[in-house]
Structures are given as C-alpha cells and as structure tokens.
Amino acid sequence: MGEVSILMTQAAWMSPSRGDARLAFGTLAYQASDDRYATASREHALMLLFAPAPPVWTARFLAALRLAAGLIILMTGTMKMFGFPPAGPPMFPVPPPAWELHLAAILETVGGIALLLGLFTRPVAFILSGEMAVAYWQVHFPISPYPTASGGIPAAIFCFVFLYLAFAGGGAWSIDGAIARHRVGDVR
C-alpha cells in the first residue's frame, strides 16, 4: 500500500539470524512498501527500544553513577569538615547536634573517597544509605512529610542511590571489580 518510514536513534541488542549478539548503535531507518512488512518493522523497532542494555554498558553506567554519587557526597563531607566548597544558604533548617554533623562529615568524606575508588563499595554504600535515611527522618521529615516542602529531596534520592549501589556493587572501573576479576583469574 503506502510507503512507511521508521527512523529511530538508539543503542540496543540485536540478534542477527546467524545467532550472535551484538550492540547496534546509530540509526535504524527502514522504508517499507508493504503494510505487513511495515508492521513487523515497527514491532522490531519497539523491541529494540525496550530490550535490556548489554551487560558491558550497564556496568559502565553503574560505575558512572558510583563516581558521580561519590564525588557529590565527598564534596558534601568536605563542606561540613573543611568549609570547602563554600555553602550557599544555611544547610539545615533545624541544626542537628554537633557530634552528628561531625560524624556525617567523616562518613561522607571517607565514604566519598571509597566510592570514587570503588573500594568496599557495598558496605560503604550501605552505611551512606543509612546516613541519608537518618538525615531525612531526623532533619527533614519533622518539617514536612513531603521532601519537596522540607528540602529533603537530596537526602531521599541519595538514600536510594546508595542502597542501589549497596546491592549492585561498584560496576566497571572499581578496585572491587579488579579484585574480583583477579581472584577468579579473569585478566582483562
């Protein structure tokens, strides 16, 4: 019948007819003059869009998440410990006791460095997740149960980012991963 064009830019798994799997980057452009063939092409494009990412890329982006979270939490810790980078408006609407701020500064500084290196990622991320949960419930929740109203969005998000890292591990480019590869004899 009519001519149908499908144009998508994506990165997805493709399984060619010969059975091997490869990562396809770039543009999937297809023109069909037959409605039956065009429907099959649209279904294939949707399958590629919703297919799971290849393991090599998930490990790399897990590492990118770990690096970004580690750098941000390190800056938060050094701001509390050394006053650098300088803080903008006051940090807490209700200041917690001084010993809790000192403990948070130490956890965030040491934990941020460990996450940047990918060293002891799981236990460090679990501890930081607990710290962020305490920060939310102790400082932000008494102001308002809504994170948007109490300024608790960073604490709530970091709590779950660190909880994810505690279960997912350090990903690629981590000392933990290098140790694990060395122990099983997988040298890359």
Side-chain angles (χ1 to χ4, degrees):
M1 301 193 107
E3 190 170 284
V4 176
S5 295
I6 296 174
L7 180 67
M8 295 181 71
T9 301
Q10 62 189 357
W13 277 105
M14 291 181 63
S15 296
S17 58
R18 63 179 187 267
D20 64 338
R22 60 188 161 96
L23 182 63
F25 276 103
T27 303
L28 168 68
Y30 185 75
Q31 291 187 344
S33 56
D34 177 337
D35 280 340
R36 179 177 49 98
Y37 203 44
T39 303
S41 176
R42 270 182 259 146
E43 289 173 3
H44 181 68
L46 283 176
M47 271 188 354
L48 290 176
L49 185 65
F50 295 112
V56 67
W57 286 105
T58 56
R60 289 175 183 167
F61 279 97
L62 173 62
L65 175 67
R66 174 184 51 82
L67 290 167
L71 183 61
I72 292 168
I73 204 70
L74 173 63
M75 287 189 294
T76 305
T78 58
M79 181 182 61
K80 290 175 187 164
M81 192 177 284
F82 306 117
F84 183 82
M91 289 184 353
F92 298 105
V94 179
W99 71 268
E100 288 181 358
L101 278 176
H102 294 298
L103 179 62
I106 292 167
L107 287 175
E108 291 167 4
T109 303
V110 173
I113 292 169
L115 286 180
L116 279 173
L117 296 173
L119 182 63
F120 304 119
T121 302
R122 287 188 166 123
V124 167
F126 187 75
I127 290 167
L128 289 174
S129 175
E131 182 213 352
M132 291 293 109
V134 167
Y136 178 77
W137 289 104
Q138 188 174 20
V139 175
H140 301 285
F141 187 79
I143 296 167
S144 172
Y146 304 107
T148 53
S150 67
I153 292 174
I157 289 175
F158 271 120
C159 176
F160 287 100
V161 166
F162 292 139
L163 189 62
Y164 175 70
L165 289 174
F167 285 93
W173 312 316
S174 66
I175 293 176
D176 292 343
I179 292 170
R181 283 191 300 275
H182 178 71
R183 286 192 176 178
V184 296
D186 181 19
V187 180
R188 291 182 202 189

